[in-house]
Amino acid sequence: MSEEPILPPLEPPAEPPVRRRRATRRSHIPTDAEGQAELIASLARRAYPSIELFVFSLVCGAILGLGYLLDSQAVLLLGILVAPLMIPWVGFLLAILTGSLRFMFETVMALLISILFVLLGGLLTGFAARLFMPITFNNVFIHSRLWLPELIVFALGAITLTISFARSEDKPFLPSVLIAYAFFLPIGATGFGLGAGLPDVWLQGLLVFLTHFAMTSILGLITLFVLRLRPSSGGIVLSGITFAVFAGIIIVLIGSGGGSQPAAPTAIPATATNASASLPSPTVGLSATPNPSPTQAVDSATPSPIASLGTAEVSPVPLTLEITLPPTDTPTITLTIQPQSIYGKVAANEGGGANLRDAPGGTYVMTLLNGTIVETYSEFQVLNNVTWVKVFASVNGQRIEGWLLESVISYATPAPNFGPSVTPAVTSTP
C-alpha cells in the first residue's frame, strides 16, 4: 500500500454568476414539443386575468380623467403608473399562437372590461368639464392623435414586454407601462371627448387606440415566433387571420389619415364672416350744433331823460348794438368701419403646433398646439415673402396676442385675402 495521502477529487471551477445566468436564459425556451407545451401552459397561467386588472384599471381611468380635466401631464403620468400589468395582453397573443379560442375569449373580455373602466373614468370627468367651460384641453387633443415617436416607443415596448414575460419569471413593470400608455391614454381621451362634447375627439381617440392595439399585437406575435415558440395548426390559421385583420386596420387608418388630422376646434365663439363679402353698414356719427345766423343786430331805442336846462333841450338818441357770434363748423358724416374678426384654428403640418411670436419673425412667445382657436382681424405683414398674421388666442383663461405664419392657420370660412384693399372715404354735408 502506498503511504501517499488520498486527496479528494478536484471539483470543476464554478461558472461565474453572470455566465450561469446567461446560460439559463439561453436555455429557457425549450425546443422539444413537450418542453414547449409545458412552457406555454406556464405562461398561460401567469397571463390569466385576475381581479387586480379590473381594480387598477378603474383607478387608472379615474386618474386619467382627472388629468384631462386639469390638462396636466403630471396627473396623466400618475394614472399610467398605477395602471395594471398588461400581461393579459400577452395571454391574448399566446391564445392566438396556440389556437385556443376559449383562452382568447377570456383574455379579450378581460382586456375589454379594463378598457371600458378607463373609458368610464374619462366619460364622467368629461361631463364634469362642462361645468368649467371654457377651459383648455391640449392633452386631450395630443393623445387623440398619432405621433411617429410614440409609435416607435410603443413598438419597443411590445417587443420588450413579450420577451421579458417569456424569458423571465419577474414581472415586467417598465414595458407594461409603455403598453398601458399606448392603450389607456387614447381610450381615456375618447371617453373625455364624449362626455365634454368635443367634436370628433372621441372618434379620433378610438381610431388611435385601434392603431396602437393592432401594431403592438402584430409585433408581439412576431416576437413569439422569433423566440421559437411553435404554433399549433389552429394557431397558424388564427395567426394568419390576425395578421391580415390587424394589418388591414393599420393600412386603412393610416392611409386615410385617421387620428393624424389637426384637432377640431372645441367651440367657435361667433360665426366667421367671409372676407370677400361686402363691407358692413357704416356707423354714422353726427357731431354738429345748430347754426345760428352769423350776425344778429338788436335795435333798442332807449330814450334818454329830457331835462330842461334853461333854453337847452336834450333829444333822445337811438342806440344800435351789434352782436357777432363765432361761426360753427359745418356738420359732417364720418364712416366708422367696425373690424370683423375671423376665427380659425392652428393646423401645422409638422410638430403638432406652431410658434407664436411677438412680431413677424420676432421673439418666441409660446407654442400653440394644433386645434387651438385663434382670432384675427386681417392684420398682416409680409416679411421675406412670408405672410405673418396677428392673432389672438385664449390660453388657460388668458387672452394672448402675437404673430403666426399664415400657412399654419386653417379658417372656418374661406381664407381671407391678405392683400391691399381700398378703404372708402365718404363725406357729405347737409
Side-chain angles (χ1 to χ4, degrees):
M1 295 181 60
S2 173
E3 296 182 358
E4 295 180 0
I6 300 176
L7 299 176
L10 297 177
E11 296 181 358
E15 294 182 358
V18 176
R19 288 190 57 192
R20 184 167 56 249
R21 184 163 55 248
R22 289 177 180 174
T24 303
R25 286 179 180 174
R26 283 195 297 266
S27 61
H28 190 75
I29 305 297
T31 56
D32 59 297
E34 183 179 355
Q36 286 218 348
E38 294 179 358
L39 174 62
I40 292 177
S42 174
L43 295 178
R45 285 192 298 270
R46 291 171 52 201
Y48 196 81
S50 64
I51 190 63
E52 295 179 355
L53 174 68
F54 310 118
V55 173
F56 284 104
S57 296
L58 190 61
V59 176
C60 173
I63 297 178
L64 291 182
L66 181 62
Y68 285 133
L69 178 63
L70 300 177
D71 201 21
S72 172
Q73 284 277 14
V75 179
L76 292 176
L77 179 60
L78 175 63
I80 292 301
L81 290 178
V82 300
L85 283 174
M86 300 306 295
I87 51 178
W89 171 75
V90 184
F92 165 70
L93 302 180
L94 289 173
I96 296 176
L97 188 72
T98 58
S100 175
L101 296 178
R102 178 181 176 181
F103 188 46
M104 185 176 68
F105 175 78
E106 293 173 347
T107 53
V108 168
M109 292 304 297
L111 290 174
L112 181 60
I113 293 174
S114 64
I115 288 170
L116 289 178
F117 282 160
V118 177
L119 182 71
L120 179 62
L123 184 66
L124 295 178
T125 51
F127 281 123
R130 294 173 181 262
L131 304 176
F132 305 99
M133 294 292 188
I135 55 178
T136 58
F137 303 122
N138 293 331
N139 283 289
V140 177
F141 287 102
I142 288 175
H143 296 295
S144 60
R145 297 295 178 269
L146 288 176
W147 305 96
L148 181 59
E150 290 186 353
L151 293 178
I152 296 175
V153 174
F154 297 155
L156 295 176
I159 296 173
T160 306
L161 177 59
T162 306
I163 295 176
S164 301
F165 184 77
R167 296 178 64 93
S168 175
E169 295 288 336
D170 298 330
K171 295 182 178 180
F173 289 103
L174 181 58
S176 176
V177 168
L178 297 179
I179 298 301
Y181 191 104
F183 294 170
F184 291 160
L185 279 177
I187 282 295
T190 299
F192 191 91
L194 277 172
L198 302 180
D200 295 336
V201 170
W202 70 270
L203 180 59
Q204 296 286 348
L206 183 61
L207 296 179
V208 170
F209 163 74
L210 291 177
T211 304
H212 289 174
F213 189 85
M215 183 197 70
T216 53
S217 298
I218 288 177
L219 292 176
L221 275 177
I222 294 176
T223 304
L224 291 178
F225 285 119
V226 172
L227 291 176
R228 298 179 182 179
L229 288 175
R230 292 190 293 268
S232 62
S233 57
I236 295 176
V237 175
L238 200 55
S239 299
I241 296 175
T242 303
F243 276 122
V245 172
F246 286 165
I249 291 175
I250 294 175
I251 293 173
V252 170
L253 294 183
I254 296 181
S256 62
S260 60
Q261 297 298 325
T266 58
I268 299 296
T271 303
T273 59
N274 194 339
S276 62
S278 60
L279 292 173
S281 301
T283 302
V284 180
L286 295 178
S287 58
T289 58
N291 188 12
S293 301
T295 305
Q296 181 177 357
V298 178
D299 293 339
S300 63
T302 305
S304 57
I306 300 175
S308 296
L309 297 175
T311 58
E313 183 176 314
V314 180
S315 62
V317 177
L319 177 63
T320 301
L321 178 63
E322 292 186 355
I323 301 175
T324 303
L325 299 178
T328 59
D329 296 333
T330 302
T332 59
I333 299 177
T334 305
L335 292 179
T336 304
I337 308 298
Q338 299 293 336
Q340 283 290 334
S341 61
I342 299 175
Y343 292 93
K345 61 184 177 181
V346 178
N349 293 328
E350 298 179 354
N355 293 331
L356 185 71
R357 301 186 180 274
D358 62 349
T363 305
Y364 168 84
V365 176
M366 64 182 302
T367 298
L368 296 180
L369 298 175
N370 282 347
T372 303
I373 301 300
V374 295
E375 181 182 2
T376 178
Y377 293 92
S378 300
E379 181 179 353
F380 71 98
Q381 290 186 20
V382 178
L383 180 64
N384 297 328
N385 295 325
V386 177
T387 303
W388 293 79
V389 181
K390 187 172 184 179
V391 299
F392 300 85
S394 178
V395 179
N396 295 327
Q398 297 183 354
R399 185 174 174 84
I400 307 297
E401 65 177 274
W403 294 79
L404 284 177
L405 290 174
E406 194 271 334
S407 59
V408 302
I409 303 176
S410 175
Y411 298 95
T413 58
N417 181 19
F418 292 105
S421 60
V422 179
T423 302
V426 181
T427 60
S428 63
T429 58

